[in-house]
Amino acid sequence: MTGLVERSGRPVADERRTHGQAGAGLPTLVLAASLLAAGPVGAQGLGQGGQGPGQAPGLGLDVGAGQTADPSLAGPLPGGRDPATFALRAANPAVQGGLSRGLGRPGGASRFGARPRTPPQRRTRSPTTALTRQATQQGIADDVRLRPVVQIPVSGLPDLAAGPPLLRRRTIDPLDPYGPLGIRLGGLTLFPALQQSVGYDSNPDRSIYRRGSMALLSQGELRVASDWSSHELTGAMRFGYFLYPDNPNADRPDGDGTARLRLDLARDTKVDVEGRYAISTQRAGSPDLAARVRDRPLVAAYGTTVGVTQNFNRLQVTVAALVDRQTFENAQLPDGTTLRQDDRNANQYGLRLRTGYEIRPGFTPFVDTLVDTRVHDFAVDQSGLRRDSDGVTVRAGSSFEISRLLTGEVSGGYLSRHYADSRLRDVTGPVIDGSVTWAASALTSLRIGASTGVSETIVPGASGILNRTAVAELTHDLRRNLRLTLTGTLINNDYQGTSIREEGYSAGVKVDYRLNRWLGIRASYAREMLRSTAVGSSYHSDTYLVGVRVNP
């Protein structure tokens, strides 16, 4: 048995040095097999090598801190290791680091020189989670499924002095050295803004009777963005008030806003909830008023949409329910009498079905069908007409993304609206909707959009107003803190059943100079013109404003 420990007068350790590292050749494997055959005696002979506690002199292996080699090594090793496995691992250099760790050597290094490989950090979730969520649960920025249907009657032009709707503006990059950082509130970031402007408006009433006045605009805005691992909440709200010291009857509020919540119920299922509102006023020369009024009556529209989207591989199906309400304030005439308009108040209920198929990433053709009904508070208006109606709109189009430089959605179709009163002609016609954004460069972007809809009217003989609108906005950053914006709008209003036609345009330029993240200066100019076949309904105006903008 001693021949296992010492051969020709040399210890096994010297023999190992003669043949190189353990496991590098056949002698070590033979030695390990001999140890197994020797049994307790051979193990005991190993323990008598005199190398001190905690080491086995023959193989130079650690047996653990505070332990000595003794005959118990012939049985199972600490931790339930089998001696045969122990010997084979000792003969294999690729596992010496693991053997040394198993025997308790600090740092995991063995006396054979091999160091263990650090195990890779265990993942806490699937690496494809983020990619899957991005591909299946990200919505379109301007989702047509959530677009409001009840519209404020467009018998004039959008007021560019108040600025375009916030949801159409380019989102400020938080990394921009002059962009607002926002206010963190848990998982939400709030971007409030206050603006005070002063200037001149050549026609505050937007009527044929021009009476210019100094203009004061007070405006507040709030954007909301979530930072959640799943689900998403976004929103933008704006509210402003115009004061005209030289023409107080033209004072008016103006505002709009939308908030959207996306709930990710599953990888392929999501729920979209939207709330919206819009506040405006009727202009003095509107054909619906048919009289000069003392001030501008308020018009308010608000509603909500709840939709469910389910993905079947590349097929996407969305079902959404819409509820909207529109109210009109009674008008005050110059003689002190009241012109009632409560018969124009109406509710709209709709159901939308949209089916799309992703042919390739960034290109998804779809078919969209909307069925709705409008119910007025009064079954019969002041002219004795029943204006409740049912409508159907069918559109086909596609959303697209080309190299991230050209993105958007374009669709076309046909609409039909049938009225309860047979004396009111049905409104029918082609529909063109869409919004396209072109990132021409890192400093320049262009957005073009179009929309078609039917709004309510009480003009005698007219069943509804077929509105067609086209908008464009070009932004260019002259410097990091100096932005130039050009805007333009074309409108066409057709009062179905009458000879009233309205055509107009508005154009504006705006310059934003940011002194720092929270303070800026804004100057703007807007030109509006409307030509109408209705007597006394045409107008044009020029608005100049300069103000201070604060982002708290």
Side-chain angles (χ1 to χ4, degrees), residues 73-333:
L73 288 175
L77 295 177
R81 294 179 176 84
D82 182 71
T85 304
F86 174 81
L88 291 177
R89 290 189 175 181
N92 189 350
V95 297
Q96 289 174 3
L99 174 63
S100 181
R101 286 194 304 274
L103 294 178
R105 184 175 182 87
S110 72
R111 296 188 59 180
F112 295 129
R115 297 192 58 83
R117 180 179 298 175
T118 304
Q121 184 178 0
R122 186 175 181 181
R123 296 183 184 272
T124 57
R125 63 175 181 177
S126 172
T128 61
T129 300
L131 297 178
T132 302
R133 182 180 299 113
Q134 181 180 2
T136 62
Q137 297 180 351
Q138 296 297 326
I140 301 173
D142 185 16
D143 196 337
V144 295
R145 300 190 305 270
L146 304 179
R147 185 177 300 165
V149 178
V150 172
Q151 303 176 3
I152 295 177
V154 182
S155 57
L157 289 166
D159 195 342
L160 293 186
L166 288 178
L167 290 179
R168 297 181 183 176
R169 296 181 182 176
R170 183 167 61 181
T171 303
I172 298 177
D173 185 357
L175 300 180
D176 184 350
Y178 289 92
L181 296 177
I183 301 174
R184 295 287 299 181
L185 186 63
L188 299 177
T189 304
L190 309 180
F191 296 92
L194 300 174
Q195 180 178 331
Q196 182 61 54
S197 304
V198 60
Y200 179 79
D201 193 328
S202 64
N203 189 2
D205 289 316
R206 303 295 189 266
S207 70
I208 195 174
Y209 306 101
R210 294 171 54 90
R211 182 184 173 185
S213 171
M214 176 182 178
L216 300 174
L217 170 62
S218 301
Q219 193 173 40
E221 301 174 2
L222 177 63
R223 290 191 299 113
V224 181
S226 64
D227 185 16
W228 302 334
S229 59
S230 61
H231 316 304
E232 183 182 40
L233 175 63
T234 59
M237 292 159 279
R238 176 181 63 87
F239 185 83
Y241 196 87
F242 287 89
L243 287 174
Y244 299 98
D246 302 326
N247 187 3
N249 291 335
D251 295 350
R252 65 182 185 273
D254 181 83
D256 57 76
T258 304
R260 292 177 179 140
L261 173 64
R262 191 196 72 227
L263 301 175
D264 302 326
L265 301 185
R267 189 192 68 172
D268 297 326
T269 306
K270 66 176 181 178
V271 175
D272 291 301
V273 181
E274 180 190 82
R276 53 186 173 267
Y277 75 91
I279 299 176
S280 185
T281 55
Q282 292 178 269
R283 61 187 183 89
S286 172
D288 288 293
L289 293 176
R292 292 193 61 183
V293 295
R294 189 172 60 185
D295 50 18
R296 301 182 62 163
L298 289 176
V299 181
Y302 44 91
T304 186
T305 299
V306 178
V308 179
T309 301
Q310 178 67 44
N311 292 326
F312 302 93
N313 198 358
R314 291 175 177 241
L315 181 66
Q316 183 183 78
V317 179
T318 299
V319 179
L322 305 90
V323 178
D324 290 273
R325 178 164 177 80
Q326 192 171 21
T327 60
F328 295 81
E329 183 185 31
N330 294 333
Q332 300 295 323
L333 302 179

Side-chain angles (χ1 to χ4, degrees), residues 11 16 42-43 47 51 89 117 181 271 369 376 434 452 527 539:
R16 182 180 60 83
Q51 298 296 324
R89 290 189 175 181
R117 180 179 298 175
L181 296 177
V271 175
T369 303
H376 290 73
T452 306
R527 167 78 172 181
Y539 75 90

Side-chain angles (χ1 to χ4, degrees), residues 215-514:
L216 300 174
L217 170 62
S218 301
Q219 193 173 40
E221 301 174 2
L222 177 63
R223 290 191 299 113
V224 181
S226 64
D227 185 16
W228 302 334
S229 59
S230 61
H231 316 304
E232 183 182 40
L233 175 63
T234 59
M237 292 159 279
R238 176 181 63 87
F239 185 83
Y241 196 87
F242 287 89
L243 287 174
Y244 299 98
D246 302 326
N247 187 3
N249 291 335
D251 295 350
R252 65 182 185 273
D254 181 83
D256 57 76
T258 304
R260 292 177 179 140
L261 173 64
R262 191 196 72 227
L263 301 175
D264 302 326
L265 301 185
R267 189 192 68 172
D268 297 326
T269 306
K270 66 176 181 178
V271 175
D272 291 301
V273 181
E274 180 190 82
R276 53 186 173 267
Y277 75 91
I279 299 176
S280 185
T281 55
Q282 292 178 269
R283 61 187 183 89
S286 172
D288 288 293
L289 293 176
R292 292 193 61 183
V293 295
R294 189 172 60 185
D295 50 18
R296 301 182 62 163
L298 289 176
V299 181
Y302 44 91
T304 186
T305 299
V306 178
V308 179
T309 301
Q310 178 67 44
N311 292 326
F312 302 93
N313 198 358
R314 291 175 177 241
L315 181 66
Q316 183 183 78
V317 179
T318 299
V319 179
L322 305 90
V323 178
D324 290 273
R325 178 164 177 80
Q326 192 171 21
T327 60
F328 295 81
E329 183 185 31
N330 294 333
Q332 300 295 323
L333 302 179
D335 59 3
T337 58
T338 299
L339 177 62
R340 288 185 53 194
Q341 295 197 97
D342 52 358
D343 56 340
R344 302 181 64 183
N345 299 342
N347 297 324
Q348 174 168 300
Y349 310 94
L351 184 65
R352 168 166 277 150
L353 174 64
R354 173 177 168 136
T355 304
Y357 185 83
E358 183 185 40
I359 296 180
R360 60 181 177 83
F363 182 65
T364 306
F366 65 86
V367 176
D368 187 291
T369 303
L370 171 67
V371 179
D372 69 271
T373 182
R374 296 179 182 177
V375 181
H376 290 73
D377 292 355
F378 297 93
V380 180
D381 67 2
Q382 299 181 37
S383 301
L385 298 174
R386 295 177 295 154
R387 293 193 172 272
D388 293 348
S389 61
D390 299 319
V392 177
T393 303
V394 179
R395 299 183 296 116
S398 176
S399 60
F400 55 87
E401 180 178 351
I402 303 176
S403 301
R404 298 186 181 273
L405 300 179
L406 188 65
T407 60
E409 181 176 297
V410 178
S411 64
Y414 197 80
L415 66 82
S416 175
R417 179 161 293 279
H418 175 72
Y419 290 83
D421 200 312
S422 59
R423 291 172 293 178
L424 297 176
R425 192 180 73 180
D426 293 348
V427 178
T428 59
V431 174
I432 298 177
D433 290 294
S435 177
V436 178
T437 301
W438 176 39
S441 69
L443 303 177
T444 306
S445 66
L446 173 65
R447 283 195 297 275
I448 301 175
S451 63
T452 306
V454 178
S455 55
E456 297 296 312
T457 182
I458 57 172
V459 172
S463 52
I465 309 174
L466 183 60
N467 310 123
R468 298 184 180 94
T469 306
V471 298
E473 180 181 84
L474 175 65
T475 62
H476 179 70
D477 291 336
L478 302 173
R479 298 178 64 88
R480 290 188 300 175
N481 60 335
L482 182 61
R483 175 172 296 174
L484 176 67
T485 304
L486 303 177
T487 58
T489 304
L490 295 176
I491 70 165
N492 180 280
N493 299 325
D494 186 356
Y495 287 72
Q496 299 289 301
T498 67
S499 60
I500 299 179
R501 303 290 184 273
E502 294 179 338
E503 294 181 351
Y505 73 88
S506 63
V509 57
K510 181 175 60 178
V511 178
D512 286 290
Y513 181 72
R514 291 174 286 177

